[in-house]
Amino acid sequence: MNGAQSLIRTLVDAGVEVCFSNPGTSEMHFVAALDDVTEMRGVLGLFEGVVTGAADGYARIAGKPAATLLHLGPGLGNGMANLHNARRARTPIVNVVGDHATYHKKYDAPLESDIDALVSPLRGWVRRSESTADVGADAAAAVAAAQDAPGRIATLILPADVSWGEGGEACAPIPPRLAQSATRADVERVADVLRSGDSVALLIGGGACRETGLRAAARLAKATGAKVFAETFPSRIERGAGLPNIERLGYLAEHVEYQLQGVEHVVLAGTRAPVSFFAYPGKASDLVPEGATVHTLADVDGDAAGALTDVAELVAVGIDPVLAEPSRPALPSGPLTPQNWADVIGALLPDRAIIADEANTSGLMLPAATAGAPRHDVLTLTGGAIGYGPPVATGAAIAAPDRPVINLQSDGSALYTISALWTQAREDLKVTTVLLNNSAYAILRMELQRVGAQTDGKKANELLDLSRPDMDFAKIAEGMGVPASRATTAEELAEQFERALAEPGPHLIDAIVPPLL
């Protein structure tokens, strides 16, 4: 084998079966090796932010890593925003970055860059393969490192000559480090807090946002009166009829302060103590109520769902959780609004759907509209770097081809990674994009007010406006091979959404919705 062949064989043997790629010259032997190791599926993205976002979406649903293939430092740089989101989601990704041949680096060729420095903000595992004989072992270590609880980005830097050199050897999989169980002392300490009669908020995240953790948290709430909240942006949260309807912490600091008002104890299970998304003049950054005590039941790398279950067996014996009853909003009528479009989705959401949610300000009513819909998963914008929705939906659809994937997408954010539509068309993926088109960066209009800046300046408002010219997203989608339509009323959105769900392949609906602000 050459180095590239040993790399791909090792990845496949460790369960990494998909590589999202935007390769260049330094990665050509990896590309060629895909025909030698046929179990690896190669998926082309036209921009590296699509590649990295798709790997994130795939792993969130599949529960195991995909690989990326990026071209040198500039390719890594182009993919960094969605790698940042993946880091915040604690997503396992094997991030393969090609580099110049070892003997060529000294010449400082035009694409030469410091890849090790560029990857450092991801705070993950990094290794540079120094010889062809090492590639297989390095790849096995990367897969294990990516899957170390709770999940992280493992970057393997692959020089071109190490890739094309002969003498590669595949390596057997290495077991990852599993999530640690909570200690008995921590379980009993939190049980005592919950029994104390004080006001307690239980904040859950990570794996606790799946059914086992949700049910255990809801049992504790029913038994003790504790308030339960999911973290603001969970990587994946299960929702719908038959599951507890757990409210998420708000995005706005004022909302979180209201939710936690009067709380004396904050118990953390799989998440960190809440902080404000940004700093604001005269407002707190730390959102734990003054005087409240913080207790960590399970850190982000612990078994939060298991820890909650252990506490429930002490505090909530024989208590069943309150579950959401099946319910749907009535189909609305009339022109689309920031409120009624969400009712259309809630009324028609199919069973087992996966929602990639980047609706931003247009999506404030979505949780209430879908609480009683058939069971579904919601993937959220964990790191705040926009342009995550179309790529994450793409990866999720590859991970779960038997499930409908729905990308609820704001217009400004979509433009960062709109080329993901081309990949959806090429791979014939079951993704329905509902693009909320308000011709504005509406969330920035809100932030302009909240930071206390002047809001009536013509130049300032020009930077937040997406009109002149208005963009025709239906034509953009059709140009990338995705059937598209345009909706201005609730009736049109309902008809087009139902039709898109009934037909194979991807679709886009350009939903004209006025801005909330």
Side-chain angles (χ1 to χ4, degrees), residues 160-481:
D161 55 334
V162 172
S163 182
W164 72 53
E166 296 298 325
E169 296 182 6
C171 186
I174 298 172
R177 178 178 55 83
L178 300 179
Q180 295 297 304
S181 300
T183 67
R184 188 65 183 179
D186 285 339
V187 169
E188 291 178 349
R189 176 171 49 83
V190 168
D192 288 341
V193 169
L194 289 164
R195 293 190 189 106
S196 68
D198 294 341
S199 177
V200 180
L202 178 57
L203 309 186
I204 66 173
C209 292
R210 307 288 294 278
E211 182 173 4
T212 298
L214 296 172
R215 292 178 71 95
R219 289 174 61 198
L220 291 169
K222 185 176 179 181
T224 70
K227 302 176 182 179
V228 181
F229 301 97
E231 58 190 348
T232 307
F233 294 109
S235 61
R236 176 180 178 181
I237 185 167
E238 295 183 344
R239 302 187 76 245
L243 289 172
N245 182 22
I246 303 297
E247 182 181 354
R248 284 160 54 184
L249 282 178
Y251 166 75
L252 301 179
E254 302 94 308
H255 189 188
V256 177
E257 289 172 350
Y258 173 78
Q259 289 171 306
L260 300 183
Q261 188 174 10
V263 165
E264 298 168 272
H265 300 273
V266 176
V267 175
L268 306 175
T271 189
R272 300 272 165 81
V275 297
S276 177
F277 210 79
F278 296 104
Y280 297 96
K283 296 182 180 179
S285 294
D286 183 352
L287 300 182
V288 173
E290 187 175 353
T293 304
V294 176
H295 311 267
T296 299
L297 172 63
D299 207 342
V300 294
D301 59 353
D303 179 6
L308 289 167
T309 301
D310 290 344
V311 176
E313 290 306 303
L314 293 179
V315 177
V317 176
I319 301 294
D320 293 324
V322 176
L323 306 178
E325 295 291 335
S327 65
R328 290 183 182 269
L331 276 173
S333 60
L336 285 173
T337 70
Q339 293 78 30
N340 69 13
W341 79 265
D343 286 340
V344 174
I345 304 302
L348 301 175
L349 191 70
D351 187 34
R352 301 180 65 244
I354 299 168
I355 295 176
D357 179 16
E358 196 174 16
N360 296 342
T361 56
S362 293
L364 295 180
M365 305 305 294
L366 186 67
T370 56
R375 285 182 58 160
H376 57 279
D377 287 283
V378 179
L379 314 181
T380 77
L381 180 55
T382 52
I386 62 176
Y388 118 103
V392 162
T394 301
I398 289 176
D402 60 331
R403 298 179 63 181
V405 177
I406 298 162
N407 176 202
L408 303 177
Q409 184 62 46
S410 61
D411 54 349
S413 300
L415 291 165
Y416 285 60
T417 51
I418 196 72
S419 66
L421 295 175
W422 181 89
T423 301
Q424 293 173 16
R426 180 183 237 217
E427 300 291 329
D428 194 28
L429 302 179
K430 186 62 178 170
V431 179
T432 299
T433 300
V434 180
L435 192 136
L436 291 313
N437 185 350
N438 58 25
S439 296
Y441 285 127
I443 195 166
L444 296 183
R445 288 180 177 174
M446 177 184 71
E447 295 291 0
L448 190 67
Q449 298 171 12
R450 296 185 72 244
V451 299
Q454 293 291 328
T455 61
D456 56 355
K458 183 178 184 295
K459 289 184 178 180
N461 283 304
E462 282 285 305
L463 294 183
L464 311 181
D465 176 51
L466 298 180
S467 63
R468 297 191 309 105
D470 290 321
M471 282 167 280
D472 190 330
F473 285 95
K475 288 184 178 179
I476 293 171
E478 288 170 347
M480 294 192 180

Side-chain angles (χ1 to χ4, degrees), residues 32-118:
L34 291 171
D35 285 307
D36 300 311
V37 187
T38 57
E39 301 96 320
M40 176 68 79
R41 177 178 179 179
V43 178
L44 177 62
L46 301 183
F47 172 65
E48 291 89 343
V50 172
V51 170
T52 54
D56 182 10
Y58 176 92
R60 292 198 206 187
I61 294 299
K64 63 179 183 179
T68 64
L69 182 63
L70 305 176
H71 182 44
L72 300 167
L76 173 64
N78 281 343
M80 279 296 287
N82 275 326
L83 286 174
H84 164 79
N85 289 328
R87 177 178 77 84
R88 288 293 186 176
R90 305 179 187 99
T91 301
I93 294 175
V94 177
N95 185 43
V96 180
V97 183
D99 197 6
H100 288 300
T102 54
Y103 59 84
H104 192 69
K105 289 183 70 63
K106 66 183 179 181
Y107 297 108
D108 193 27
L111 275 171
E112 171 61 24
S113 61
D114 189 343
I115 296 173
D116 302 79
L118 288 170

